């Protein structure tokens, strides 16, 4: 059997993945090419498509607006399993948290140093809790997760799959279960930790058309959540 060089196989695989990515991104281009001034007139799901397209095809320009994502946690579910793993042949304890949330996009106007926040699609955050990157989802060494949206299985949804350490979970779990109306938790993802999964960004991985994440912040506030300033 003729030996095929590994680098050629990888190059062919990269070309296939890039073609698939372009096909996916092309479907949301009509939303992505709209101006920032038009965001207020778009629906939540259209703004989500706008964000994904610009992160993939217009990243240098959108970086000037310092786009950040805010996930307002609405509901929390903890799942602990003991026994045969869902993802490997090993047995043991596995823990994950699922957070239903309302997503928002924060953009800054560099000229006026002002901020605008726009509602995005609702969705959820699914995080494994472990001391090292879990077998699922499959991530790169320093990657914390990835964002994906509007799949065939979950249309008009924005979701995050990733992982956090046990130490982080111990820090935030009491706040997530706090029933007080004067306390709320948000997931905050800064713009410099968001990277499109595409050639040149081999330090992140994820489904076709997704966005890799290298840092996740939990923000706990001891005051009622303000919603009137978010553009719907």
């Amino acid at each position: 059997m003729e030996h095929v060089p590994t680098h050629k196989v990888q190059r062919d695989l990269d070309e296939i993945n890039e073609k698939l990515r372009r096909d996916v991104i092309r479907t949301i281009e009509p939303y992505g090419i709209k101006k920032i001034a038009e965001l207020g007139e778009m629906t939540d799901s259209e703004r989500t498509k706008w964000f994904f397209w610009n992160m993939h095809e217009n990243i240098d320009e959108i970086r000037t607006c310092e786009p950040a994502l805010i996930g307002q946690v609405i509901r929390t579910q903890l799942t602990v399993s003991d026994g045969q793993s869902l993802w490997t042949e090993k047995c043991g304890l596995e823990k994950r948290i699922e957070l239903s949330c309302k997503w928002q996009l924060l953009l800054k106007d560099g000229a006026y140093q002002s901020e605008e926040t726009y509602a995005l699609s609702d969705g959820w955050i699914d995080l494994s809790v472990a001391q090292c990157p879990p077998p699922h989802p499959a991530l790169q060494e320093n990657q914390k997760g990835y964002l994906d949206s509007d799949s065939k299985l979950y249309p008009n949804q924005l979701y995050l799959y990733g992982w956090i350490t046990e130490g982080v979970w111990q820090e935030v779990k009491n706040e997530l279960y706090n029933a007080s109306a004067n306390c709320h938790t948000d997931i905050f993802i800064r713009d410099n930790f968001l990277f499109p999964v595409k050639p040149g960004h081999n330090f992140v991985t994820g489904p076709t058309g997704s966005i890799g994440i290298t840092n996740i912040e939990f923000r706990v506030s001891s005051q009622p959540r303000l919603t009137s300033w978010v553009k719907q």
Side-chain angles (χ1 to χ4, degrees), residues 78-92:
L78 170 67
T79 300
V80 179
S81 62
D82 187 19
Q84 180 69 49
S85 171
L86 292 172
W87 315 110
T88 70
E89 296 181 356
K90 297 180 179 180
C91 291

Side-chain angles (χ1 to χ4, degrees), residues 3-211:
H3 175 69
V4 179
T6 302
H7 68 274
K8 182 181 185 302
V9 173
Q10 185 61 50
R11 184 174 67 248
D12 292 345
L13 181 60
D14 289 343
E15 290 177 356
I16 293 172
N17 288 337
E18 175 60 6
K19 182 182 183 302
L20 292 173
R21 187 194 70 84
R22 289 184 179 276
D23 289 344
V24 169
I25 297 303
R26 191 177 297 115
T27 64
I28 60 176
E29 183 176 7
Y31 308 100
I33 61 177
K34 291 182 179 294
K35 303 296 184 182
I36 291 180
E38 300 178 78
L39 286 175
E41 302 172 359
M42 299 166 68
T43 65
D44 295 357
S45 62
E46 289 173 345
R47 283 190 285 263
T48 301
K49 293 179 175 68
W50 179 92
F51 172 69
F52 271 75
W53 187 89
N54 277 274
M55 286 298 298
H56 274 265
E57 301 298 301
N58 194 30
I59 189 170
D60 290 338
E61 184 171 338
I62 195 176
R63 285 282 197 219
T64 63
C65 300
E66 300 180 29
L69 291 177
I70 304 169
Q72 295 184 338
V73 178
I74 307 301
R75 185 174 65 253
T76 302
Q77 176 176 294
L78 170 67
T79 300
V80 179
S81 62
D82 187 19
Q84 180 69 49
S85 171
L86 292 172
W87 315 110
T88 70
E89 296 181 356
K90 297 180 179 180
C91 291
L93 184 144
E94 291 182 336
K95 184 187 301 183
R96 75 176 191 273
I97 56 173
E98 297 177 32
L99 309 172
S100 297
C101 63
K102 292 184 176 296
W103 287 101
Q104 299 171 2
L105 172 63
L106 177 66
L107 298 176
K108 292 185 179 181
D109 185 327
Y112 301 99
Q113 292 297 310
S114 60
E115 296 181 346
E116 294 285 356
T117 307
Y118 302 89
L120 299 180
S121 302
D122 291 349
W124 74 92
I125 299 169
D126 191 327
L127 299 173
S128 294
V129 181
Q131 292 305 117
C132 59
H136 179 82
L139 303 171
Q140 297 294 347
E141 182 179 1
N142 295 316
Q143 185 179 355
K144 298 303 295 185
Y146 62 78
L147 285 160
D148 204 358
S149 75
D150 203 22
S151 69
K152 293 181 180 179
L153 188 59
Y154 304 108
N156 300 318
Q157 295 281 300
L158 174 58
Y159 46 95
L160 186 163
Y161 284 107
W163 74 287
I164 58 173
T165 63
E166 179 67 32
V168 172
W169 170 241
Q170 294 300 323
E171 289 288 339
V172 302
K173 68 177 183 179
N174 290 336
E175 308 304 332
L176 287 170
Y177 291 129
N178 192 329
S180 171
N182 292 325
C183 182
H184 65 270
T185 302
D186 294 335
I187 305 299
F188 193 82
I189 306 174
R190 298 176 184 270
D191 73 293
N192 51 325
F193 299 121
L194 293 165
F195 301 92
V197 176
K198 62 184 295 187
H201 293 150
N202 296 329
F203 50 89
V204 291
T205 189
T208 303
S210 62
I211 298 173

